Amino acid sequence: MEPNARTAETISNLTASDGYEVTAFESLQFTDEIHRLISAPPTDNASSFTALLELPSPQAVELLYSPESSKLIPASPPNVEDFKGNFHFPSNTCLIERDARLSAEVNNSNENEKSKSPESKKLSTNLEKAVKSEPAETESSQPLVSDPTLDKRSIKRKDGENKVKGSTKKSKTAVNESSEDAQKLPYVHVRARRGQATDSHSLAERARREKINARMKLLQELVPGCNKISGTALVLDEIINHVQSLQRKVEFLSMRVAAVNPGIDVNLDSILTSESGSPMDSNFPSLVMPVTWPEVQGNGHRQQYEHQCHFDALQQPVWGRGEVCHNYITPENSLLTYDSSANSATLHANQLKMEL
Amino acid sequence: MPLSSLKPKMRPHSSLKQEFLKKWIMGLQRCSFSKKNMSILERKKAIKFSADIAMASARNGTTCWSRSLISNASKEGSDIHVVEQILGSESDRPAVENKVPTRRASVCKKIVKRSCRIRRRRRRRKCVASAPSSIAKHLVRKRREVLKSLIPGGEFMNEICLIEETLDYITSLRVQVDVMRSLASASVRASE
C-alpha cells in the first residue's frame, strides 16, 4: 500500500503542476473515502467509528502523518512511539466538525486546483496512511508539512487542507482565481465552480450546505439502518426515532435498576482499578449485591411500561448470559397483565426474557 | 468554531464507559439511597438523574447538550449536592455560567428570526403546497424542530451544531444504555 500511496502522491503533484482541467467535482467523493475506511474495520461498532471520526482532520496534516494511532486503532500500539505526540485529539464534535470542514475543504481545494480526483485520491491515501499508521509516511510528507508557503495562508479554519496542497499550490501561482481573496487575508478561500454564482453569499451558503451534508452523512453512518435511506426528511425521521428509543431505554433501564436495588453495594475501588476493555461484564456480579427484593408498586410500573411499547429489543445486543432470571421477570409479568395496553406490554416482557 | 477549540482528547469507547460508570456510582451513593422508604419512582428518578449528570459531566463541558443538561440540573435546589458530587473538583460552574449569556443571546436571535419568519410565512401561505422543494424543506424543518426538542438544549443551536450535538448525544446515550443494562443484569445475576 505504501508505494502505491507514494506514487499516487507524486502523480497528483505532477498533474497539478501540468495544468488544470475543469472537471465536475463530486463534492462528497472524499466523504465516500471516509465511509470506505469506516466500513473497513467492522469489529467494534462505536469505538472504531468514533475513532475514525478522528481521522479526517484537516486541522493537522500532522494527524494524517503523525497520528496517535493507539487511540485510533486499538490493535496497533507499537506505532505510537513513532509519531509525534503533539497533537491533541479533540472531542467528538470537534472532530466531526473538522471532518466536515475537510470535506468542504476538499471541495474547495479541488476547485482551487482544478485537479479533483488526484487531489481527493491523495487525501484519501493520506487517510489510509493514517489508518494503517505507517511511520514511513512521515518522511514523504515532511516536505508538505513544512512548506513555507503555509505560513502565508491563514485561512479561517482551513489551514490543514492548505498544508496538504501547499506544494501543489506553489506550482500554480500563476492561476487566476476569480473569486478568491488575497492570499494573506484571513478569509475563506473558495473557488467557484464553473457555471455557478460567485458572490459571497452563495459561496457561504454552499459551504454551509456542504458542512451540513457531511455531518448528515456521519449521522447516517452512526444510526443503524440509515444508509439505504435517501432523503433528508426520512433520515431525520430515523434519527429521531433512534434518539427517542435510546431515551426510552434509559428510562426503562433506570427503572429496572431501581427495582433491583434498594441498596447496591458496589466496590468502587475495584472498578476504578480495573483496566481491561470490558471490565464491567466480569466485575459486576462480584461487586453488586442487592439487598432485598423490593415491593414493586403497581401504578408506577404500569405507567412506565406503557411508554415502552416501542421498545425495540431487536437492536439490543444479546448478552452472553444465557440464563433467564425468572425471579425478576415474574413480578413484572404479573404487573404487566394488569396493564390496559396489555398486548404491547406482554410482548415487551417476552422481549425482556429474550434479551436476558 | 475556531481552531482554538481543539478540545481534550477523545476517549475510546470503553474508557468512556468506565468514566460514566464511576461518576454514576458516585452520584448514586450521594443520593439518599439509604432511605428505605424511597418509593421506586423516586429511586428511578434519582438513578436516571445521576446517570444523566454523569453522562453529561463525562463530556467536560465540551458539548452543548451536556452543558445545558448540567445547568438545568443545577437549577433545582435539592439535587445540587448530587451534581456537585459528580462534577467533583472540576469547576464546571464556569462553563455553566458561560452558557447562560450565549443562550440569552441566541434566544433573542431566535425571537427576532421567528418574528421575521412569521411575517414571511403569512405572505407565502398561498404557494406553499405547490413546489415540491418547499414541501421537502417544510418536512425537513418540521423534523429539525422535533430533533431540537429531543436534544437537551437543542432549541438554541443552529443546524450544524444540532447535528453535531445529535451525534455526540447518541453515542453518550448508547454508552449509558450499555452500562445501565450491564449493571442491571449483573445485579440480577448476583441476587440469584
Side-chain angles (χ1 to χ4, degrees):
Chain A
M1 192 61 213
E2 199 180 303
N4 290 340
R6 288 235 185 89
T7 51
E9 218 181 315
T10 50
I11 285 172
S12 68
N13 282 335
L14 285 174
T15 51
S17 58
D18 285 344
Y20 52 93
E21 64 279 3
V22 179
T23 57
F25 175 61
E26 305 87 30
S27 66
L28 298 175
Q29 186 175 357
F30 183 57
T31 52
D32 288 345
E33 297 285 359
I34 296 173
H35 297 159
R36 192 158 53 78
L37 293 168
I38 286 173
S39 58
T43 54
D44 206 346
N45 48 4
S47 71
S48 67
F49 169 71
T50 48
L52 282 164
L53 277 180
E54 301 163 349
L55 282 181
S57 153
Q59 179 32 239
V61 171
E62 294 129 48
L63 173 64
L64 297 180
Y65 298 116
S66 61
E68 294 178 353
S69 61
S70 65
K71 296 195 178 62
L72 287 177
I73 301 164
S76 64
N79 290 319
V80 179
E81 304 85 353
D82 300 335
F83 297 109
K84 314 174 214 166
N86 55 354
F87 180 74
H88 290 290
F89 269 5
S91 72
N92 203 0
T93 56
C94 197
L95 294 166
I96 296 161
E97 166 207 45
R98 287 184 299 133
D99 161 53
R101 256 185 280 138
L102 177 61
S103 56
E105 285 174 26
V106 168
N107 192 4
N108 297 333
S109 79
N110 289 328
E111 290 168 348
N112 280 331
E113 298 302 327
K114 295 188 176 154
S115 58
K116 294 179 183 143
S117 45
E119 186 67 36
S120 62
K121 215 200 300 176
K122 179 166 83 158
L123 285 167
S124 65
T125 53
N126 291 341
L127 259 195
E128 287 164 9
K129 284 181 220 160
V131 172
K132 308 245 164 103
S133 64
E134 293 167 350
E137 298 294 342
T138 52
E139 295 115 37
S140 65
S141 67
Q142 283 314 318
L144 280 178
V145 175
S146 55
D147 199 343
T149 58
L150 300 175
D151 306 330
K152 298 179 188 164
R153 318 282 165 88
S154 55
I155 298 177
K156 204 167 33 168
R157 296 186 282 128
K158 299 200 177 190
D159 287 336
E161 180 269 332
N162 268 336
K163 282 182 196 167
V164 170
K165 61 180 182 66
S167 62
T168 57
K169 190 140 191 169
K170 214 179 176 182
S171 56
K172 299 178 64 109
T173 46
V175 172
N176 290 328
E177 289 163 339
S178 53
S179 63
E180 186 168 330
D181 298 328
Q183 285 185 358
K184 311 213 173 161
L185 288 176
Y187 289 163
V188 173
H189 285 230
V190 171
R191 176 153 215 139
R193 287 182 232 163
R194 192 176 192 138
Q196 290 198 345
T198 61
D199 59 321
S200 59
H201 290 299
S202 54
L203 285 176
E205 177 65 29
R206 205 187 325 141
R208 181 178 156 271
R209 251 184 280 138
E210 279 157 6
K211 257 197 259 179
I212 290 181
N213 285 336
R215 283 163 175 80
M216 285 292 299
K217 281 238 162 186
L218 286 174
L219 258 182
Q220 272 186 298
E221 297 286 326
L222 185 63
V223 175
C226 265
N227 285 329
K228 298 148 193 165
I229 302 179
S230 62
T232 321
L234 297 173
V235 166
L236 281 175
D237 260 346
E238 278 299 318
I239 292 167
I240 287 171
N241 287 336
H242 191 63
V243 169
Q244 278 173 338
S245 76
L246 281 175
Q247 283 175 338
R248 268 186 246 123
K249 273 187 210 176
V250 167
E251 292 266 345
F252 169 66
L253 281 171
S254 64
M255 175 59 90
R256 222 169 107 180
V257 171
V260 162
N261 68 322
I264 273 193
D265 196 1
V266 185
N267 195 345
L268 251 186
D269 296 332
S270 56
I271 288 182
L272 296 178
T273 53
S274 67
E275 316 162 27
S276 61
S278 60
M280 294 166 296
D281 292 348
S282 52
N283 284 342
F284 270 149
S286 57
L287 299 173
V288 174
M289 293 177 292
V291 178
T292 55
W293 287 109
E295 290 277 337
V296 180
Q297 294 184 5
N299 290 333
H301 257 275
R302 219 175 295 143
Q303 283 167 13
Q304 288 305 314
Y305 282 110
E306 271 171 13
H307 294 308
Q308 311 305 326
C309 296
H310 310 294
F311 191 76
D312 46 349
L314 297 172
Q315 288 191 5
Q316 297 169 17
V318 176
W319 292 90
R321 324 163 199 284
E323 51 270 5
V324 175
C325 175
H326 294 288
N327 289 338
Y328 182 66
I329 296 292
T330 41
E332 284 181 357
N333 276 339
S334 58
L335 283 168
L336 290 169
T337 51
Y338 299 152
D339 204 345
S340 55
S341 60
N343 294 332
S344 52
T346 48
L347 178 65
H348 167 65
N350 291 334
Q351 287 170 352
L352 188 60
K353 268 191 197 169
M354 277 165 32
E355 173 211 349
L356 282 183
Chain B
M1 274 174 257
L3 286 177
S4 55
S5 68
L6 275 187
K7 309 282 167 45
K9 54 181 178 149
M10 167 76 183
R11 306 163 198 83
H13 201 60
S14 56
S15 78
L16 186 60
K17 278 190 187 179
Q18 289 184 24
E19 192 172 332
F20 165 66
L21 179 66
K22 185 172 59 167
K23 294 195 168 168
W24 183 32
I25 289 174
M26 274 202 303
L28 287 182
Q29 286 175 342
R30 188 61 188 269
C31 285
S32 46
F33 251 59
S34 51
K35 282 193 259 173
K36 298 282 171 115
N37 53 358
M38 277 178 83
S39 74
I40 191 169
L41 273 183
E42 286 176 20
R43 268 208 302 272
K44 174 245 173 193
K45 260 173 72 176
I47 286 172
K48 178 162 189 304
F49 179 75
S50 41
D52 287 341
I53 303 294
M55 203 64 242
S57 74
R59 285 299 174 203
N60 282 336
T62 52
T63 55
C64 193
W65 66 266
S66 60
R67 288 197 297 263
S68 143
L69 201 60
I70 289 178
S71 65
N72 280 337
S74 314
K75 283 178 195 163
E76 305 172 37
S78 58
D79 300 316
I80 272 202
H81 58 285
V82 178
V83 179
E84 284 167 1
Q85 164 86 1
I86 293 184
L87 295 179
S89 55
E90 311 165 11
S91 54
D92 229 277
R93 294 311 174 89
V96 170
E97 307 293 347
N98 290 337
K99 178 121 175 62
V100 174
T102 57
R103 273 168 88 183
R104 284 204 201 112
S106 48
V107 166
C108 294
K109 270 190 237 166
K110 292 276 173 177
I111 291 172
V112 171
K113 273 190 211 166
R114 259 180 227 141
S115 61
C116 298
R117 229 186 292 151
I118 288 173
R119 263 182 262 138
R120 262 184 268 138
R121 226 179 264 155
R122 285 193 194 133
R123 275 183 244 142
R124 276 193 206 158
R125 221 158 249 178
K126 295 172 189 170
C127 51
V128 152
S130 51
S133 60
S134 60
I135 293 178
K137 279 187 197 162
H138 183 67
L139 289 177
V140 169
R141 207 184 312 140
K142 272 248 161 89
R143 278 149 182 83
R144 279 218 176 91
E145 300 293 317
V146 176
L147 196 57
K148 281 186 183 180
S149 67
L150 281 181
I151 312 274
E155 312 89 48
F156 310 106
M157 303 175 197
N158 56 2
E159 290 181 1
I160 301 171
C161 196
L162 184 67
I163 297 181
E164 290 177 2
E165 296 290 322
T166 312
L167 268 165
D168 197 63
Y169 189 57
I170 287 179
T171 36
S172 312
L173 278 179
R174 280 197 187 153
V175 165
Q176 213 173 349
V177 164
D178 283 343
V179 169
M180 289 175 97
R181 188 182 290 143
S182 54
L183 177 62
S185 54
S187 61
V188 152
R189 273 165 52 91
S191 69
E192 289 173 359

